[in-house]
Amino acid sequence: LVYAMDVYSMKPLPAVGAIDATKTVFITGANSGLGFETARQLVVNYGLNVILGCRSLAKCNAAADAINANAKTGSASPLLIDLSNFDSVKRAAAELSRQKIDALYNNAGFAPGLGIPVNDYSLDPSFTSMHLSHYLLTELLLQANPSMRVVNTSSGTHHICAIPFAYFPKNLMHLVEWNPGCVDEQFLQQGIHTPPDSGAYFQAKIANVMHAVSIPHNHPQATSVAIDLGWVGTSIQPWMKLKISPTSMKLMRNAQTGVMPAMQAILSSDEELLDGLGKTRKWNDGGVIMNIMGKTEEAFSMSWWNGNLSRDRMLELSHKLWLTSERLIRELANN
């Protein structure tokens, strides 16, 4: 029902003429899926300059060529970045520092499988790629672009870090392998150094929210949004590419519709993103989240974020995640 109402309930995107076409956007995971579609629409529909961040330069070049074939004024260009490697992130940031970056879209992600060992940094590889490398990239780019817009692809699944603890009966709690809030003190001290478990995706996605919330606290000129794209048919799971699947049966959003929250988060003005959050709401109160309809909300404001997982508690954990990320990057990425 939600997706059937997209055409009626989705917040309209800004008019093409209202957007400064000289802006430059960097997108990670941009050679396929939602990263590619976001880049395509920004270039073709809005005439922006978009830098595509990809692990494979060949795939990145092909994606840029495909976008540029239909571009009129904007352009797409490739840049190699491997989010599993901090040195690669630093090289990409150094290359990007040669120009102004108006918006950073931390999009790259994957569904981690069980049995993956820790990486060369002795860290959970999924948390490394989806959070820590994006944290490092954001910090490096904000040094040269202090007023940059930062958009993180999160997921509505981050609420699973609270919902079971609010509503599950005790006899079902053995099914929950993650801690309350997912990214708590125990995870930051120990879990981050272990292979992915069944909660790994939720841990990474709530970290994307916590990161976005914390950015304006640490970079007063920056603005940040963590977005929920909804259930979109991409290649993140193999079954999405089967002939008979929720994607083929039109039970999932297609990529063209699925990227609307990303487009909204990248293109909207600072004032538009805070609209509806209260007259006294300022960016120094922290970043925001955006739902699948392109409307902003306060993080951790749903009814299940209560008690030991209240908004105040989650903001406290967000600060602790920032400090832990800062320490790990200092120890592992600056050697």
Side-chain angles (χ1 to χ4, degrees):
L1 178 61
V2 169
Y3 302 118
M5 294 175 61
D6 276 348
V7 68
Y8 304 108
S9 301
M10 183 72 70
K11 184 178 179 180
L13 290 174
V16 172
I19 300 302
D20 180 3
T22 66
K23 288 186 175 181
T24 297
V25 180
F26 179 56
I27 302 177
T28 65
N31 64 276
S32 64
L34 299 177
F36 173 82
E37 180 60 24
T38 303
R40 188 193 68 79
Q41 292 193 28
L42 289 173
V43 173
V44 176
N45 298 348
Y46 284 88
L48 271 59
N49 299 308
V50 178
I51 304 170
L52 313 180
C54 326
R55 286 185 300 171
S56 165
L57 194 55
K59 291 180 179 180
C60 219
N61 282 324
D65 289 344
I67 293 171
N68 289 330
N70 296 297
K72 296 179 180 178
T73 56
S75 67
S77 56
L79 180 65
L80 190 65
I81 182 170
D82 182 352
L83 293 166
S84 69
N85 185 287
F86 294 143
D87 287 337
S88 177
V89 174
K90 290 163 66 176
R91 286 192 295 270
E95 184 69 25
L96 291 167
S97 68
R98 299 179 182 181
Q99 60 189 300
K100 181 183 179 184
I101 303 298
D102 297 283
L104 165 63
Y105 181 19
N106 291 319
N107 163 71
F110 64 99
L114 298 178
I116 302 174
V118 295
N119 57 24
D120 291 342
Y121 304 112
S122 297
L123 297 170
D124 174 342
S126 60
F127 200 80
T128 299
S129 294
M130 287 190 273
H131 168 65
L132 284 172
S133 284
H134 279 140
Y135 170 87
L136 171 60
L137 177 64
T138 302
E139 288 299 287
L140 293 173
L141 293 186
L142 280 170
Q143 291 177 11
N145 308 276
S147 60
M148 184 175 69
R149 169 73 51 78
V150 181
V151 179
N152 290 347
T153 291
S154 181
S155 165
T157 60
H158 82 273
H159 293 298
I160 294 176
C161 294
I163 288 174
F165 303 97
Y167 301 125
F168 276 24
K170 290 183 178 180
N171 62 351
L172 291 181
M173 288 306 296
H174 68 280
L175 301 174
V176 180
E177 293 188 44
W178 50 95
N179 294 341
C182 288
V183 176
D184 63 352
E185 289 87 352
Q186 189 276 335
F187 176 81
L188 293 174
Q189 294 168 11
Q190 301 174 25
I192 198 171
H193 298 285
T194 62
D197 58 18
S198 62
Y201 187 74
F202 312 142
Q203 289 155 355
K205 292 296 101 179
I206 197 168
N208 297 147
V209 173
M210 298 162 86
H211 178 218
V213 167
S214 299
I215 287 172
H217 294 153
N218 295 275
H219 299 278
Q221 297 180 58
T223 55
S224 50
V225 189
I227 59 173
D228 178 7
L229 298 172
W231 207 29
V232 187
T234 65
S235 58
I236 193 170
Q237 294 280 13
W239 53 262
M240 290 183 178
K241 296 180 286 185
L242 297 175
K243 288 185 177 181
I244 299 178
S245 69
T247 309
S248 64
M249 296 170 66
K250 309 300 182 184
L251 298 177
M252 303 177 75
R253 280 177 159 168
N254 59 32
Q256 290 77 19
T257 302
V259 300
M260 289 300 105
M263 297 289 291
Q264 197 73 253
I266 292 168
L267 296 173
S268 296
S269 68
D270 295 355
E271 294 75 22
E272 288 170 333
L273 288 176
L274 294 185
D275 185 41
L277 297 183
K279 294 182 179 180
T280 62
R281 182 56 159 89
K282 304 295 182 185
W283 278 106
N284 58 17
D285 295 324
V288 297
I289 63 174
M290 180 174 287
N291 66 27
I292 60 174
M293 295 303 177
K295 298 176 182 177
T296 47
E297 303 171 348
E298 295 288 8
F300 314 118
S301 60
M302 295 294 187
S303 60
W304 42 82
W305 294 106
N306 59 43
N308 293 332
L309 293 177
S310 66
R311 173 173 162 83
D312 285 344
R313 167 62 172 160
M314 295 310 300
L315 294 179
E316 175 191 4
L317 287 176
S318 298
H319 178 63
K320 291 182 177 181
L321 170 63
W322 186 282
L323 295 178
T324 299
S325 303
E326 187 177 53
R327 176 180 59 78
L328 288 171
I329 292 300
R330 184 173 61 248
E331 294 173 356
L332 300 172
N334 294 327
N335 293 334

